[in-house]
């Protein structure tokens, strides 16, 4: 029996880049992309050295790469500073008074910081850190709302060589505590609170709980955002604005070694214990700066909006380091997309004249569910490019995004990458790559991606297998913080000599990569291995459906039965007839093999706070077993209770 993943859903729609768009693009035709990619994969070091040279180095590297698998050092011997590259570099020319950050708080207030102002604020904060005893290499935990100070805190750390570890403001005290203990952070930066859906989230209080019984944290720096009444522990807690009175705005950047750690970002492993993904300075900055330039085809007057929170890798790479290294104008919005109404995003786009929007499929599916009338109310004509990241985007969601947000005019870059990869790995280049809804298309320059079978052999067109990367790249993780054996085992042992992504994928006849889901989630129905993404896409292509997640449930006859959890678009009702119609719809789109045995309607699906569906939990619900493992990353716990209740 073959263990390879089968593919049945073939997408035929193709969207070629518009001439108008290509004319001005960084890479303006497909042949150029192919040629440059082939060259860059033949000599990746040459390509990356050229990209690294666009940054400011205070000491040039002596070797591009030192690769002792699975440990890489990039730009060996080079010195640079990430904050200098994101700020100081832009102060000498016309970007000095260009907006770096245009921010909107959830209650509606606005602030704009030019590069000059942002630089000043970062210097002040770096001096606050120094004043509070933070030194190069020290770990600083950042737990902030999405306000300019979150970015200022990150860049302030980078300026003095301190290592930041940002914890998403929606996480609990328990998560903060775990991350403080694992990273050995001695200083925490937080705010009294932040706004979310009209409520104040009491961030400082969560920090207080997290720090109970934790001795190692000597300082908590608190930014005043909401004027919420908070507890200040004498000798440990200080106010940001008070500290600012004692320091000046002069703080020369501290050059660090290219391999000096820039940050640790925790990602929850499927088994529970969070992994501290370690990224270093020179390679990471090279990877993020280069991909931002080419994938978002950045132009000087773009107004760029990445909707991710700084608590995720997308926020690190494409809200802070990548765009600021390129001198871009970035929009930052603190709150929820449906506050006070489901058109908040479209309002922001119209008011700020956003030209590039980068968001997640989960958000797009939510917008679809809320209805087409919301974007229609606003002028979205400033948009020229759209992007997605985080999950496979179902072709129907892609089409909706293309039609209702991009108004048929904007290319969509579906970008595949991971916290571990640091930067975008597989993505269209918008002026060059013909698009097909649902695929991240082709690898970025210097990235050697492949799909292999269980023996590590590359598979043929439309055969499913494991997605691997065959050569090191600059923005790759360097280790799991404090756990090299786990790093080796998790990423470099599954397929010999390759980085294993954990994702299943196939390449179509044009070589495009289609992610079919996490390998751990692959269904095995009567000996056929099916990726979750295709079955879900088939379900979502039914008119009434907003979102779907499929999982396997043990079945004596078939090995696994397919259970589909489905949410409906506004105004549609669950019924047995609809369940039957959805089953027939899947059988028609993919084949009887993928027909769900069970269709269960739900109000919402359990998701991580970054919007990924937690199939692990759904598997447990589908098979009627107890929920085990880490649930702290779950966005809304009541979803689980409701799903269980609907089961009885
Ligand atoms: C999934 C987010 C399909 C994938 C930057 C990956 C995607 C995991 C895509 C990493 C995409 C991300 N198409 N799947 N365009 N982008 N994924 O670490 O399973 O939060 O391995 O990084 O998300 O998630 P992470």
């Amino acid at each position: 029996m073959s263990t390879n993943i089968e593919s049945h859903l073939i997408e035929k729609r193709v969207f070629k880049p518009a001439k108008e768009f290509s004319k001005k693009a960084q890479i303006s035709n497909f042949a150029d992309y192919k040629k440059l990619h082939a060259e860059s994969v033949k000599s990746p070091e040459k390509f990356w050295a050229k990209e690294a040279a666009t940054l400011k180095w205070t000491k040039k590297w002596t070797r591009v790469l030192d690769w002792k698998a699975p440990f890489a050092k990039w730009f060996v011997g080079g010195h640079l500073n990430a904050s200098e590259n994101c700020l100081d570099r832009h102060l000498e020319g016309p970007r000095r008074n260009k907006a770096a950050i245009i921010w909107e708080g959830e209650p509606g207030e606005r602030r704009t910081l030019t590069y000059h102002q942002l630089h000043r604020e970062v210097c002040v904060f770096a001096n606050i850190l120094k004043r509070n005893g933070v030194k190069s290499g020290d770990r600083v935990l950042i737990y902030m709302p999405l306000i300019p100070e979150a970015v200022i805190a990150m860049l302030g750390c980078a300026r003095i060589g301190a290592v930041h570890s940002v914890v998403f403001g929606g996480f609990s005290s328990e998560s903060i505590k775990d991350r403080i203990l694992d990273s050995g952070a001695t200083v925490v930066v937080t705010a009294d609170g932040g706004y979310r859906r009209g409520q104040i989230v009491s961030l400082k209080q969560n920090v207080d709980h997290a720090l109970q019984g934790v001795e190692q944290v000597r300082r908590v720096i608190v930014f005043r955002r909401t004027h919420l009444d908070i507890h200040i522990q004498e000798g440990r807690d200080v106010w940001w604005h008070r500290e600012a009175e004692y320091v000046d705005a002069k703080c020369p950047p501290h050059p660090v070694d290219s391999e000096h750690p820039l940050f640790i970002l925790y990602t929850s492993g499927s088994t529970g214990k969070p992994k501290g993904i370690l990224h270093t300075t020179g390679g990471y900055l090279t990877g993020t700066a280069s991909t931002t330039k080419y994938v978002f085809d950045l132009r000087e007057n773009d107004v760029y909006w990445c909707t991710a929170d700084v608590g995720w890798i997308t926020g690190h790479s494409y809200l802070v380091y990548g765009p600021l290294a390129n001198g871009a104008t970035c929009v930052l919005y603190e709150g929820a997309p449906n506050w006070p109404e489901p058109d908040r995003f479209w309002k922001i786009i119209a008011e700020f004249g956003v030209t590039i929007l980068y968001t997640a499929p989960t958000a797009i599916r939510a917008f679809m569910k809320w209805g087409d009338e919301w974007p229609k109310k606003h002028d979205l004509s400033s948009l020229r490019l759209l992007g997605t990241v985080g999950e496979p985007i179902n072709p129907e969601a892609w089409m909706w995004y293309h039609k209702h947000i991009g108004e048929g005019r904007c290319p969509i870059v579906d970008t595949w990458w991971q916290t571990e990869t640091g930067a975008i790995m597989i993505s269209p280049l918008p002026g060059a790559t013909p698009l097909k809804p649902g695929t991240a298309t082709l690898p970025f320059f210097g990235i050697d991606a492949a799909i292999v079978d269980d023996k590590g052999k590359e598979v043929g067109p439309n055969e499913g297998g494991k997605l691997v990367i065959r050569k090191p790249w600059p923005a790759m993780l360097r280790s799991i913080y404090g756990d090299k054996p786990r790093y080796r085992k998790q990423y470099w042992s599954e397929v010999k000599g390759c980085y294993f992504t954990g994702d299943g994928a196939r390449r179509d006849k044009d070589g495009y990569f289609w992610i079919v889901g996490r390998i751990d989630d692959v269904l095995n129905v009567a000996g056929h291995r099916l990726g979750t993404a295709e079955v879900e896409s088939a379900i979502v292509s039914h008119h009434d459906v907003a979102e779907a997640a499929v999982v396997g449930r043990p079945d004596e006859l078939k090995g696994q039965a397919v259970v589909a959890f489905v949410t409906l678009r506004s105004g549609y009702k669950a019924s047995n007839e609809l369940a039957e119609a959805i089953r027939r719809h899947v059988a028609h789109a993919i084949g009887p093999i993928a027909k769900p045995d069970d269709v269960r309607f739900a109000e919402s699906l359990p998701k991580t706070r970054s919007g990924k569906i937690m199939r692990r939990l759904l598997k447990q619900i589908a098979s009627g077993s107890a929920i085990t493992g880490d649930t702290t990353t779950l966005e809304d716990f009541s979803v689980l209770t409701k799903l269980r209740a609907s089961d009885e």
Side-chain angles (χ1 to χ4, degrees), residues 131-171:
R131 183 180 137 78
N132 284 281
V134 179
K135 304 218 161 31
S136 178
D138 288 353
R139 273 82 63 217
V140 174
L141 187 123
I142 299 175
Y143 183 65
M144 295 280 273
L146 194 48
I147 56 177
E149 280 66 24
V151 179
I152 292 166
M154 290 164 77
L155 293 174
C157 288
R159 196 154 191 92
I160 63 170
V163 184
H164 58 72
S165 185
V166 183
V167 176
F168 172 54
F171 278 162

Side-chain angles (χ1 to χ4, degrees), residues 267 313-314 388-393 414-420 426 440 501-503 515 517-518 610 612:
T267 161
I313 191 67
T314 308
T388 73
V389 57
E391 278 182 295
I393 178 163
D414 172 356
T415 63
W416 178 90
W417 58 295
Q418 306 177 299
T419 305
E420 292 86 343
I426 303 180
T501 63
D503 283 351
I515 308 296
R518 299 290 295 169
S610 64
K612 290 193 210 308

